[in-house]
Amino acid sequence: MPEFRKDPTVDRWVIIATERAKRPVHREASDTALCPFCAGNESLTPPEVLVFRDQSDPSGLPNWTVRVVPNKYPALVPDGSRLETTSENYEARSGTGAHEVIIESPHHVTDVTLLSESQFGAVLRAYRNRIMELRTDKRFRYILIYKNQGSEAGATLEHVHSQLIAMPMIPKLILEEIETAKNYYQANRRCVFCDLIRKETGGERFVTGNARYLVICPFAPRFPYETWILPKQHASLFERSTQQDDVDLARILRETLIRLNRSLGNPAFNYFIHSNPLDQGENNTYHWHMEIIPKLIQVGGFEWGSGSYINTVTPEQSARSLRAAIP
Ligand SMILES: [Zn+2]
Ligand SMILES: [Zn+2]
Ligand SMILES: [Zn+2]
């Protein structure tokens, strides 16, 4: 049974999940017969919690387009016992939550940019769909959607997929972003992200944009080629996006990942969605966004020791290269 433990010296929750250690080691070979995410191998995963099917396919085969299943080696589980102990500063709670896998294609594709725009759209719809369902469970306070592509980025299976973790507390990083945004709003009566969008549109850190979204390399990136996608209209919650938003986000996300592939030669990467916590809803201060981090460097002692970062590539250089990748 996984467990949350809070480090009393820094107010940070850690998930202790020993079941995760039983995960298969990363297989580089495309062994589709054994791949639990390939169509035909559905019995190798837990039963699905959401499935989209291709309505035009009359074959009657398992003709799904996107499947969402509970993680077989979960970091958190939905039906945890109610463990809550506090003794001498040590706070622990049962690892109650949800840990799901969004399987992004029935085919054994290992680079997500090979999927079509409409498939990207279906994946985004699956994210929203799962968040809308899980947010009715009042035990959860935060849901993080994230993707690991490539073993250097933490993927243990190469078949395209992303993950979702619903948890009963708000992660430290999100709390810090919310606090910073709130302080900025109190000082300026404007959303810090909306101001950033105004400032960066068409500037030297601008990568691309469409009617609804903007892609930039942020002013002070932690990593080379760190890239953010923001909705141009102020919105705090990703899951409130519409189908039309999904069409535009699918297009720009796919395009941005292709730009990164071309600039950097198909790097491993992570992306994640930062959205307002479930109990905070829409407000004037927080603005949801997506962060993409290509895995180009190992984080070293300075970064671990300081929580700060040394970045050897300017965001202006990164943005210039990403702009040039698709002229
Ligand atoms: Zn597969
Ligand atoms: Zn805003
Ligand atoms: Zn963020």
Side-chain angles (χ1 to χ4, degrees), residues 213-225:
Y213 296 93
L214 179 75
V215 181
I216 57 158
C217 294
F219 175 69
R222 292 155 292 180
F223 304 103
Y225 287 80

Side-chain angles (χ1 to χ4, degrees), residues 26 33 42 52 71 75 90 95 116 120 128 155 160 178 193 210 220 229 238-239 242 246 252 276-277 295-296 299 306:
H26 187 79
E42 290 79 6
F52 295 154
N71 195 307
Y90 287 150
S116 66
F120 267 76
R128 282 198 288 112
V160 283
I178 288 171
F193 294 95
N210 62 23
I229 302 180
F238 161 75
E239 63 269 29
T242 63
D246 284 351
I252 210 156
N276 219 9
K295 277 281 128 59
L296 304 172
V299 170
S306 66

Side-chain angles (χ1 to χ4, degrees), residues 173-174 177 193 222 228 272-274 286 289-291:
L173 187 59
I174 311 293
E177 279 192 2
F193 294 95
R222 292 155 292 180
W228 295 1
F272 40 86
I273 295 173
H274 279 168
Y286 194 70
H289 54 276
M290 192 174 227
E291 301 185 23

Side-chain angles (χ1 to χ4, degrees), residues 59-305:
S59 65
L61 293 166
N63 58 341
W64 52 272
T65 53
V66 175
R67 272 181 98 219
V68 183
V69 298
N71 195 307
K72 203 170 175 180
Y73 305 94
L76 296 172
V77 295
D79 47 1
S81 59
R82 293 214 160 270
L83 163 88
E84 252 180 72
T85 55
T86 311
S87 67
E88 296 172 51
N89 274 341
Y90 287 150
E91 203 179 332
R93 290 194 208 164
S94 56
T96 304
H99 188 178
E100 300 178 351
V101 180
I102 299 94
I103 305 168
E104 297 171 348
S105 169
H107 309 295
H108 197 80
V109 173
T110 60
D111 176 352
V112 73
T113 63
L114 299 174
L115 302 182
S116 66
E117 260 172 43
S118 72
Q119 191 68 14
F120 267 76
V123 169
L124 295 172
R125 195 160 76 245
Y127 291 170
R128 282 198 288 112
N129 213 303
R130 290 309 300 149
I131 297 174
M132 292 309 275
E133 176 160 335
L134 287 163
R135 66 176 293 140
T136 63
D137 188 328
K138 295 303 170 204
R139 295 173 304 173
F140 302 150
R141 293 193 69 201
Y142 199 79
I143 299 175
L144 184 76
I145 301 270
Y146 63 98
K147 181 175 180 66
N148 308 333
Q149 180 168 304
S151 53
E152 304 94 321
T156 48
L157 285 166
E158 62 178 15
H159 188 127
V160 283
H161 68 284
S162 34
Q163 301 183 63
L164 167 160
I165 285 196
M167 53 200 284
M169 65 274 291
I170 303 167
K172 190 173 167 63
L173 187 59
I174 311 293
L175 287 173
E176 288 171 359
E177 279 192 2
I178 288 171
E179 185 64 18
T180 308
K182 197 190 285 172
N183 291 340
Y184 186 93
Y185 189 86
Q186 274 162 5
N188 303 287
R189 310 314 290 174
R190 291 189 311 271
C191 162
V192 62
F193 294 95
C194 285
D195 270 5
L196 195 138
I197 288 165
R198 264 191 296 276
K199 203 172 158 64
E200 299 293 344
T201 300
E204 54 183 347
R205 289 175 294 274
F206 170 84
V207 176
T208 185
N210 62 23
R212 289 183 168 78
Y213 296 93
L214 179 75
V215 181
I216 57 158
C217 294
F219 175 69
R222 292 155 292 180
F223 304 103
Y225 287 80
E226 178 174 340
T227 303
W228 295 1
I229 302 180
L230 303 115
K232 289 181 176 176
Q233 284 284 332
H234 180 83
S236 307
L237 297 172
F238 161 75
E239 63 269 29
R240 292 284 150 82
S241 314
T242 63
Q243 292 247 19
Q244 189 50 48
D245 294 328
D246 284 351
V247 170
D248 278 10
L249 182 57
R251 180 173 305 147
I252 210 156
L253 173 58
R254 181 170 180 274
E255 181 197 316
T256 301
L257 295 175
I258 290 172
R259 287 177 186 275
L260 285 162
N261 269 358
R262 291 192 185 168
S263 284
L264 301 167
N266 300 26
F269 68 88
N270 300 111
Y271 72 56
F272 40 86
I273 295 173
H274 279 168
S275 183
N276 219 9
L278 304 181
D279 52 5
Q280 294 183 34
E282 289 288 344
N283 62 24
N284 291 330
T285 60
Y286 194 70
H287 193 125
W288 79 263
H289 54 276
M290 192 174 227
E291 301 185 23
I292 307 170
I293 315 241
K295 277 281 128 59
L296 304 172
I297 50 152
Q298 293 273 352
V299 170
F302 173 74
E303 286 78 8
W304 287 117

